[in-house]
Amino acid sequence: MTSPDGYLDAASTEPLHPAAREAWLAAVEAGWADPARLYRDGRRARMRLDAAREIVAEVIGATPGEVSFTASGSAALQLGMLGVLRGRARVGNRLVVSRVEHSAVLHTAARHAADGGEVELVDVEASGRVEAAAFVRALHPSTALACLQSANHEVGTVQPVDAVATAAIANEVPLLVDAAQTLGRLPVPFGWAVLCASAHKWGGPPGVGVLALRRSARWRSPAPETERESGRVAGFENVPGICAAAAALAAVAGEAEAENARLRRLTDRIRAAAAALPDVVVHGDPDHSLPNLLTFSCLYVDGEALLTELDRAGYAVNSGSSCTAQTLRPSHVLEAMGVLSHGNVRVSLPRGVTEATVDGFLAVLPGVLERLRALAGVHGL
């Protein structure tokens, strides 16, 4: 499917890629059976599952045996972290993560600390970029695992994974890379021991995560039973979803160079236009950023009200503050950066978004800001 008009929230989920839909329908017809069974329909499902695994392995630079599929990217992160921490318990119980990791990583780190483990949180610069030297210094001999995202999901800043990976390898510390925002879009980072991602971020279906473990990684299942998916993940495999995810990944990886260049031009236009508005601050690092994502803060405007008004105008964006009615908590990412954590807008352009859609958004934004500030009694800004 193409991107709906006005949809500018690809970082949350990318619209389904046509290749994914085609692969899913084919697998529903011929891959519905239990791939663990030896009868004909089971073997047909197994062949499709194995083919999908080979596609994903080729894209990430792994062997098929190193690739497993989970129910989500968050599940992959948690399973990868807990398994390595358990497998390397004799080495130590030290875990190193950045302060701007996905909440699934930070919640797992908090659980590790509650269970008696040692956790070090590495600071980031105001741009959201991890201080590579500080991260490297944290890699002590007793470090069981280090975790670093390939790019931040809220401000789009690309992290110095290669530099950190080089030090991690030298110190014999496995590095888990959360590649949810970059897989299929940017080159796969160097030196990972564990790689995690989520299919709906690249145009695959929801409900499919990727957990890749290098053969050299010491990993022990944290679950009581893992008789299925590569011996790492319990439960019946979602063969149609996995086939759709693999097809979409291969397609977007092939399209990435041309589409990234186009999206970068559109994102730069939004960045420049937002920065020119009164009392608007653009966050992140434009020199090290995803080609399709940026976040900006609008002073004297409530972030949720701004999202609501933009939605009424026909534009679906997200809040860079990740502040919801359920939690009422500002973003841990923006707090770690030391920037405004309210009144934020995250714009993330989906595949195929048109220039006309971007033009329309930029035409609507100033008026929405002016109206909301007037309602708040803020004038003359």
Side-chain angles (χ1 to χ4, degrees), residues 69-73 75-76 206-209 233:
F69 298 102
T70 65
S72 67
V208 179
V233 182

Side-chain angles (χ1 to χ4, degrees), residues 248-305:
L249 180 59
V252 298
E255 301 162 356
E257 184 175 357
E259 184 65 352
N260 283 350
R262 192 182 73 85
L263 293 178
R264 176 77 70 183
R265 290 192 295 270
L266 294 175
T267 302
D268 287 345
R269 282 188 55 205
I270 299 173
R271 187 187 308 276
L277 292 173
D279 295 292
V280 172
V281 180
V282 181
H283 302 304
D285 184 344
D287 296 324
H288 301 91
S289 65
L290 291 170
N292 70 320
L293 189 156
L294 81 157
T295 291
F296 52 89
S297 294
C298 306
L299 279 69
Y300 317 113
V301 174
D302 177 77
E304 299 304 312

Side-chain angles (χ1 to χ4, degrees), residues 362-378:
L362 294 178
V364 163
L365 180 61
V368 169
L369 289 176
E370 185 176 353
R371 287 196 302 275
L372 289 175
R373 286 169 174 163
L375 288 172
V378 180

Side-chain angles (χ1 to χ4, degrees), residues 6-14 102 151-157 181 200-201 267 270 281 283 290 292-298 303 306-307 310 315-322 331 333-334 343-349 361 365:
Y7 182 76
L8 304 175
D9 192 23
S12 292
T13 192
E14 181 83 20
H102 189 275
N152 187 260
H153 51 291
E154 291 194 15
V155 296
T157 300
Q181 291 295 336
H200 72 96
K201 302 291 188 179
T267 302
I270 299 173
V281 180
H283 302 304
L290 291 170
N292 70 320
L293 189 156
L294 81 157
T295 291
F296 52 89
S297 294
C298 306
L306 180 54
L307 299 195
L310 288 171
Y315 296 95
V317 298
N318 203 347
S319 173
S321 67
S322 292
S331 161
V333 171
L334 299 176
N344 296 283
V345 173
R346 182 185 71 181
V347 178
S348 49
L349 305 182
F361 173 74
L365 180 61

Side-chain angles (χ1 to χ4, degrees), residues 104-125:
V105 171
L106 295 180
H107 290 163
T108 305
R111 176 63 180 270
H112 180 63
D115 290 340
E118 181 184 357
V119 176
E120 179 164 350
L121 299 175
V122 180
D123 291 330
V124 298
E125 300 166 352

Side-chain angles (χ1 to χ4, degrees), residues 4-333:
D5 288 342
Y7 182 76
L8 304 175
D9 192 23
S12 292
T13 192
E14 181 83 20
L16 194 69
H17 195 285
R21 183 178 185 277
E22 182 179 348
W24 189 87
L25 290 173
V28 166
E29 290 294 327
W32 53 268
D34 187 343
R37 304 306 172 207
L38 298 180
Y39 44 73
R40 182 186 62 183
D41 289 327
R43 295 196 305 271
R44 291 169 66 185
R46 169 58 60 181
M47 288 176 62
R48 288 182 177 271
L49 179 61
D50 289 345
R53 197 188 315 278
E54 290 176 2
I55 291 171
V56 173
E58 182 177 358
V59 171
I60 68 175
T63 65
E66 293 174 325
V67 176
S68 298
F69 298 102
T70 65
S72 67
S74 293
L77 288 169
Q78 293 173 338
L79 191 57
M81 290 178 68
L82 293 173
V84 173
L85 288 170
R86 187 179 183 193
R88 286 174 54 84
R90 292 184 179 181
V91 175
N93 67 357
R94 180 179 173 78
L95 173 64
V96 178
V97 303
S98 86
R99 290 189 181 275
V100 295
E101 297 301 305
H102 189 275
S103 59
V105 171
L106 295 180
H107 290 163
T108 305
R111 176 63 180 270
H112 180 63
D115 290 340
E118 181 184 357
V119 176
E120 179 164 350
L121 299 175
V122 180
D123 291 330
V124 298
E125 300 166 352
S127 66
R129 190 168 168 85
V130 167
E131 297 176 0
F135 204 108
V136 170
R137 287 194 300 271
L139 301 178
H140 299 171
S142 62
T143 303
L145 176 66
C147 302
L148 181 61
Q149 59 194 193
S150 54
N152 187 260
H153 51 291
E154 291 194 15
V155 296
T157 300
V158 174
Q159 303 293 1
V161 176
D162 288 356
V164 170
T166 299
I169 292 170
N171 287 277
E172 298 183 341
V173 175
L175 177 65
L176 181 151
V177 175
D178 174 5
Q181 291 295 336
T182 60
L183 190 56
R185 192 182 300 279
L186 298 180
V188 176
F190 155 82
W192 56 268
V194 185
L195 187 79
C196 300
S198 185
H200 72 96
K201 302 291 188 179
W202 67 68
V208 179
V210 171
L211 171 63
L213 294 163
R214 292 296 190 195
R215 295 189 185 279
S216 58
R218 298 179 188 174
W219 186 90
R220 289 183 60 196
S221 174
E225 179 181 353
T226 52
E227 295 181 353
R228 300 291 298 222
E229 181 51 20
S230 295
R232 303 185 188 108
V233 182
F236 195 103
E237 295 88 345
N238 176 9
V239 176
I242 290 168
C243 291
L249 180 59
V252 298
E255 301 162 356
E257 184 175 357
E259 184 65 352
N260 283 350
R262 192 182 73 85
L263 293 178
R264 176 77 70 183
R265 290 192 295 270
L266 294 175
T267 302
D268 287 345
R269 282 188 55 205
I270 299 173
R271 187 187 308 276
L277 292 173
D279 295 292
V280 172
V281 180
V282 181
H283 302 304
D285 184 344
D287 296 324
H288 301 91
S289 65
L290 291 170
N292 70 320
L293 189 156
L294 81 157
T295 291
F296 52 89
S297 294
C298 306
L299 279 69
Y300 317 113
V301 174
D302 177 77
E304 299 304 312
L306 180 54
L307 299 195
T308 299
E309 288 303 306
L310 288 171
D311 183 39
R312 289 175 178 171
Y315 296 95
V317 298
N318 203 347
S319 173
S321 67
S322 292
C323 180
T324 69
Q326 288 75 29
T327 65
L328 297 178
R329 292 185 60 187
S331 161
H332 68 275
V333 171

